[in-house]
């Protein structure tokens, strides 16, 4: 029996949840705001206290943060690991580790390890209005997935499915997770290390994001504009992406601007398993933000909830200087932070007749924030060939939702070798600021062309 089958059977036997959407009963909905938080997480801690009870999350910056600077501070910088997991004791913790984590320990037994810290439930308490909307969504028949989960309709301004009944519902919770309503703007660096351990020339970028779902509504839930600053050969190149709610009716809108051609072009290929060129092909477009895009090529099954050791409150990772985070074969374990949390597990299986580099994927979603914190992909032969770990923390600057550090993650291509660190903010010139709003024309192809001169 291979690892993916074993994981699926184990979790199914423990939780036995239906893979089909079902109505939330009044008894279940009655738990929201009592034993369950309004957005669906369990309020209580676990039996032995290693996962604490939820007490409101982190809503204020730590001491030393300079307001408006865009320079984040790790609020847990002084903490020390409770214990570490490596090749010598991995069997002891195997039931708490994702298959991807175990694979990296197996592949690099002498150097890869997981440092486990005290668990902190930092996701900020939702506003009363958003909490109420989340509770309402749970039983609102108009808030639903459509076209076999591909699209979303009738949900606004709250978690769509605080008590998910299908993998599609859980994944939509991730796509629509609460972030700063006005979005972010910042400057960061993308890093790629090849199979020989060589660091490619870093890509420095500016980025602007917004999340209309949480503010004005409309047809699109997330928009992002990325502009390359260096290397010089790529300076001025831009990518603009709009992600729709009704994927069953609208396509993802994608545009690129090249300074060499000096024109904006539609880029429908920026989706699914198309490799992201600036990241050396290590990451696919549908792996941005751990997952983004249309859910029409896979069947998404809600396997259940489980206590697992996953990357969490990863400010240290996002803020690490480049020379501190880069290792020869993998990111430096010294800058990682892992905690024990409850996660929802979603299994995605490629549909018959569909094409994708992955035949199966597993996603692990944090119960508090609905962020995907880890994932792995299996190739057509059933072997793990992609492993991703997210980099996120509580948005303590605004006290609202999470800060994703522009889809910050560490991704491994185990088939070809090499890895990427997406959105590093360890350079002194880096910054990442929540904003109240963007000018109306920021996320338009016309404006992208107008600002496209080097």
């Amino acid at each position: 029996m291979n690892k993916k089958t074993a994981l699926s059977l184990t979790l199914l036997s423990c939780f036995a949840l239906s893979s089909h959407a079902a109505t939330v009963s009044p008894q279940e909905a009655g738990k929201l705001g009592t034993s369950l938080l309004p957005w669906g997480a369990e309020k209580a801690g676990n039996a032995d206290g290693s996962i604490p009870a939820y007490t409101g999350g982190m809503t204020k910056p730590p001491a030393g943060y300079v307001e408006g600077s865009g320079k984040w501070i790790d609020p847990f910088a002084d903490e020390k690991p409770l214990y570490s997991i490596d090749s010598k004791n991995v069997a002891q913790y195997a039931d708490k580790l994702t298959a991807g984590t175990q694979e990296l320990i197996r592949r690099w037994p002498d150097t890869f390890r997981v440092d486990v810290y005290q668990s902190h439930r930092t996701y900020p308490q939702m506003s009363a209005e958003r909490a109420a909307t989340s509770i309402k969504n749970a039983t609102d028949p108009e808030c639903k997935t459509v076209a076999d989960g591909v699209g979303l309709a009738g949900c606004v301004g709250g978690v769509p499915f605080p008590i998910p009944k299908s993998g599609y519902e859980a994944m939509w919770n991730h796509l629509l997770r609460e972030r700063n309503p006005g979005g972010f703007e910042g400057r960061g660096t993308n890093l790629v290390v090849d199979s020989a351990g060589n660091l490619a020339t870093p890509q420095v970028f500016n980025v602007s994001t917004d999340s209309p779902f949480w503010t004005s509504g409309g047809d699109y839930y997330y928009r992002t504009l990325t502009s390359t600053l260096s290397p010089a050969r790529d300076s001025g190149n831009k990518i603009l992406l709009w992600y729709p709610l009704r994927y069953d009716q609208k396509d993802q809108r994608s545009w690129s601007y090249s300074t060499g051609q000096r024109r904006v072009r539609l880029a429908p290929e920026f989706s699914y398993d198309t490799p992201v060129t600036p990241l050396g092909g290590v990451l696919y477009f549908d792996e941005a933000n751990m997952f983004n895009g249309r859910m029409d090529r896979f069947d998404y099954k809600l396997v259940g909830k489980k206590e697992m050791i996953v990357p969490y409150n990863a400010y240290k990772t996002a803020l690490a200087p480049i020379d501190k985070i880069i290792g020869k074969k993998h990111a430096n374990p010294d800058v990682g932070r892992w905690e024990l949390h409850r996660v929802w597990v979603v299994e995605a299986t490629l549909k018959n007749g569909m094409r994708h580099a992955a035949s199966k994927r597993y996603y692990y979603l944090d119960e508090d924030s609905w962020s995907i914190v880890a994932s792995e992909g299996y190739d057509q032969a059933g072997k793990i060939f992609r492993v991703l770990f997210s980099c996120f923390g509580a948005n303590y600057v605004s006290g609202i939702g999470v800060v994703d550090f522009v889809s910050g993650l560490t991704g491994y291509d185990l088939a070809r070798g090499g890895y990427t660190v997406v959105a590093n903010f360890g350079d002194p010139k880096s910054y990442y600021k929540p904003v109240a709003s963007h000018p109306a024309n920021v996320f338009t192809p016309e404006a992208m062309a107008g600002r496209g001169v080097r």
Side-chain angles (χ1 to χ4, degrees):
M1 183 181 296
N2 59 33
K3 288 182 179 178
K4 66 179 180 180
T5 302
L7 174 63
S8 178
L9 291 176
T10 299
L11 291 171
L12 282 172
S13 65
C14 291
F15 304 102
L17 292 182
S18 170
S19 62
H20 302 285
T23 303
V24 175
S25 70
Q27 291 76 18
E28 290 178 296
K31 297 178 182 179
L32 295 171
T34 56
S35 60
L36 297 181
L37 299 172
W39 53 95
E42 295 177 43
K43 184 175 182 179
N46 64 352
D48 65 6
S50 53
I51 297 175
Y54 183 81
T55 57
M58 181 178 291
T59 58
K60 295 181 180 180
Y65 174 78
V66 178
E67 184 177 357
S69 67
K71 298 289 188 180
W72 295 73
I73 292 176
D74 180 3
F76 308 114
D78 294 333
E79 289 191 355
K80 303 299 181 185
L82 302 175
Y83 56 93
S84 296
I85 304 171
D86 56 21
S87 60
K88 299 180 183 64
N89 62 351
V90 63
Q92 178 183 346
Y93 299 97
D95 65 326
K96 294 289 193 295
L97 298 174
T98 71
T101 305
Q102 294 182 61
E103 177 63 21
L104 298 192
I105 292 175
R106 185 199 66 78
R107 186 165 292 227
W108 299 299
D110 297 327
T111 56
F112 191 85
R113 75 175 191 278
V114 167
D115 289 340
V116 183
Y117 290 76
Q118 179 182 344
S119 298
H120 297 281
R121 298 180 68 179
T122 50
Y123 180 68
Q125 174 76 45
M126 276 188 178
S127 69
E129 179 182 1
R130 290 183 175 182
T133 302
S134 298
I135 293 173
K136 178 179 180 292
N137 284 342
T139 55
D140 184 355
E142 298 302 316
C143 178
K144 59 189 176 182
T145 63
V146 293
D148 295 326
V150 172
L152 186 87
C155 310
V156 291
V159 172
F161 308 106
I163 303 177
K165 296 295 182 177
S166 73
Y168 294 94
E169 291 183 353
M171 295 298 283
W172 273 110
N173 285 348
H174 162 74
L175 294 175
L176 302 177
R177 63 199 178 279
E178 188 184 31
R179 292 177 276 202
N180 189 64
F184 290 89
E185 61 182 25
R187 170 185 172 132
T189 305
N190 292 329
L191 309 171
V192 177
V193 177
D194 65 20
S195 59
N198 301 310
L199 175 64
T201 302
Q203 179 201 22
V204 182
F205 63 87
N206 277 341
V207 66
S208 298
T209 75
D210 80 339
S211 301
F213 175 81
W214 288 95
T215 52
S216 57
D219 296 332
Y220 296 88
Y221 66 85
Y222 186 62
R223 298 183 296 182
T224 177
L225 172 64
T226 305
S227 308
T228 298
L229 301 178
S230 67
R233 66 178 181 273
D234 299 322
S235 178
N237 292 350
K238 303 175 189 296
I239 295 176
L240 175 64
L241 298 169
W242 295 6
Y243 296 99
L245 292 163
R246 293 301 301 267
Y247 270 113
D248 55 314
Q249 298 179 350
K250 295 178 178 291
D251 286 328
Q252 172 183 307
R253 304 297 302 277
S254 309
W255 297 268
S256 67
Y257 175 84
S258 169
T259 53
Q261 297 178 348
R262 292 188 178 274
R263 68 182 181 91
V264 175
R265 70 175 184 87
L266 288 169
E269 71 276 13
F270 290 173
S271 59
Y272 297 116
D273 54 352
T274 299
V276 181
T277 301
L279 299 178
V282 176
L283 203 72
Y284 299 143
F285 270 94
D286 66 2
E287 292 173 328
N289 274 295
M290 299 298 287
F291 175 78
N292 255 333
R294 177 181 277 150
M295 289 185 280
D296 61 336
R297 296 194 179 182
F298 290 78
D299 287 315
Y300 292 84
K301 179 192 300 181
L302 187 62
V303 178
K305 190 188 285 187
K306 194 173 190 294
E307 294 181 8
M308 303 194 80
I309 296 168
V310 292
Y312 211 95
N313 291 315
Y315 305 94
K316 180 165 65 169
T317 307
L319 305 175
I322 293 174
D323 62 339
K324 299 296 184 184
I325 196 170
I326 293 300
K328 196 73 173 176
K329 296 295 183 182
H330 52 76
N332 181 4
D334 292 345
V335 301
R337 182 186 175 96
W338 302 67
E339 297 179 7
L340 180 69
H341 285 267
R342 290 182 290 244
V343 299
W344 288 98
V345 182
V346 173
E347 177 188 72
T349 303
L350 188 65
K351 293 181 178 180
N352 290 334
M354 289 292 185
R355 297 176 61 88
H356 197 281
S359 67
K360 192 178 289 289
R361 286 166 158 175
Y362 285 94
Y363 298 97
Y364 306 88
L365 289 71
D366 169 41
E367 71 162 343
D368 285 337
S369 66
W370 289 108
S371 298
I372 295 175
V373 290
S375 74
E376 64 254 357
Y378 294 79
D379 63 19
Q380 301 303 318
K383 296 181 179 179
I384 294 180
F385 81 121
R386 316 284 288 191
V387 177
L388 277 67
F389 300 121
S390 73
C391 180
F392 85 104
N395 176 13
Y396 57 65
V397 174
S398 302
I400 299 172
V402 293
V403 53
D404 295 296
F405 294 109
V406 198
S407 70
L409 60 85
T410 305
Y412 295 90
D413 182 346
L414 300 183
R416 299 187 308 156
Y419 70 95
T420 182
V421 176
V422 177
N424 172 266
F425 288 88
D427 184 272
K429 295 182 180 179
S430 294
Y431 65 92
Y432 198 44
K433 298 179 181 178
V435 296
S437 64
H438 292 282
N441 69 341
V442 166
F443 299 101
T444 65
E446 295 78 14
M448 185 166 67
R451 292 190 296 266
V453 180
R454 295 192 191 190

